[in-house]
Amino acid sequence: MADVTLTTLRGLKQNGEKIVMLTCYDATFAAAACAAGVEVLLIGDSLGNVLQGHDSTLPVSVADMAYHTACVKRGNQGALILTDLPFMSYATLEQALDSSAALMRTGAHMVKLEGGAWLGETVRRLAENGIPACVHLGLTPQSVNVFGGYKVQGRDEARAREMREAALALEQAGAAMLLLECVPSALAAEISRSVRIPVIGIGAGVDTDGQVLVLHDMLGLNPRPAKFVRNFMTGQASIQDALSAYTQAVKNAQFPAPEHGFSA
Ligand code: KIV
């Protein structure tokens, strides 16, 4: 696979080809995911749950993210590496620049922040300093204590409008990509159409520009999977085959199916 860049991702959106993203935390899985055609490896702060055993992503540090980004970089074979800025590592502009610089130095090509329109100034400053940013909207797990649980976001009109406006404002501020988690499928489709930058979904229906899942979920290792997860190990002889099945299902828009999405 030729090296995937932001230009590649924009081209995929323009051509209507789905973008395949998967979380990844180490070199072995990075190589396997690349061999399966995964285009974006997300070093998600979900590593707090699936690797560290915490019940949320809040305990994860920049050092943890840097360590796993470096591991993934060693196994990467051409995918774009996207790394999460963990909880409270971008609360001020200075923190955002310092944390992002640390992650870019270890191998990230882009960083991901959770929030809304208020991140506009941060996104602008990151872009000015050579750091592309993906903004995670909808169910942002670092705010689980504000939401009072892991709940679908944007079902009421006020929150839906807030999300639509945030997407436009963040694109204007220079965001390179958006990620929508657990939002009604119709709203996610509308937001994806309204911006030129790629929009990746998880629990956001099939009409976003690409999909992401947590590696351990799609390998069937989560005993209580969310509604939007499919176990890609089912019917497959190996992990490598499951990764390829995921890539094919995303590319062919066979995943997610309607039952994986949420209504308004
Ligand atoms: O941390 C993560 O794995 C994520 C995905 C849920 C998108 O942000």
Side-chain angles (χ1 to χ4, degrees):
M1 169 164 73
D3 283 359
V4 176
T5 65
L6 254 182
T7 312
T8 319
L9 301 181
R10 285 191 201 114
L12 290 173
K13 171 161 180 148
Q14 274 161 17
N15 295 334
E17 187 179 331
K18 298 288 184 188
I19 297 166
V20 186
M21 182 188 292
L22 184 63
T23 72
C24 188
Y25 316 99
D26 68 29
T28 302
F29 273 102
C34 288
V38 173
E39 287 144 339
V40 183
L41 300 175
L42 169 64
I43 296 88
D45 60 358
S46 52
L47 69 82
N49 303 92
V50 298
L51 300 189
Q52 298 175 336
H54 296 299
D55 60 3
S56 78
T57 58
L58 273 58
V60 178
S61 67
V62 173
D64 294 333
M65 298 309 297
Y67 173 79
H68 288 282
T69 300
C71 294
V72 167
K73 178 183 164 69
R74 286 181 215 116
N76 183 31
Q77 287 159 16
L80 186 139
I81 297 179
L82 169 62
T83 301
D84 271 341
L85 285 169
F87 179 62
M88 288 304 287
S89 68
Y90 49 100
T92 66
L93 270 179
E94 200 174 342
Q95 280 179 328
L97 289 166
D98 286 350
S99 307
S100 303
L103 299 177
M104 298 292 283
R105 286 194 185 103
T106 57
H109 300 119
M110 192 190 303
V111 296
K112 178 160 78 62
L113 311 76
E114 297 185 6
W118 70 89
L119 286 172
E121 183 56 16
T122 305
V123 164
R124 191 186 320 278
R125 286 291 295 279
L126 289 173
E128 283 168 1
N129 283 280
I131 302 172
C134 169
V135 184
H136 185 149
L137 302 171
L139 171 54
T140 47
Q142 292 170 15
S143 300
V144 60
N145 294 301
V146 174
F147 295 145
Y150 295 97
K151 298 175 182 166
V152 178
Q153 301 294 310
R155 279 188 150 144
D156 59 294
E157 185 42 37
R159 182 87 171 100
R161 189 179 329 113
E162 189 187 314
M163 233 182 284
R164 280 187 212 106
E165 290 173 0
L168 294 174
L170 289 162
E171 175 177 48
Q172 188 68 30
M177 193 151 72
L178 298 175
L179 188 147
L180 299 177
E181 178 167 354
C182 289
V183 306
S185 304
L187 175 62
E190 193 187 335
I191 291 175
S192 304
R193 282 193 304 268
S194 74
V195 292
R196 302 220 320 250
I197 53 177
V199 178
I200 308 297
I202 175 166
V206 74
D207 291 320
T208 52
D209 304 311
Q211 298 292 327
V212 61
L213 279 179
V214 170
L215 174 68
H216 294 59
D217 289 348
M218 57 78 71
L219 292 179
L221 293 171
N222 185 340
R224 286 183 302 280
K227 170 187 159 83
F228 55 78
V229 171
R230 179 186 291 173
N231 177 357
F232 282 90
M233 278 304 289
T234 304
Q236 301 298 335
S238 68
I239 287 174
Q240 191 63 62
D241 288 349
L243 294 172
S244 296
Y246 169 65
T247 302
Q248 286 314 309
V250 172
K251 286 285 181 198
N252 299 334
Q254 287 166 342
F255 176 80
E259 69 264 24
H260 298 116
F262 298 101
S263 58

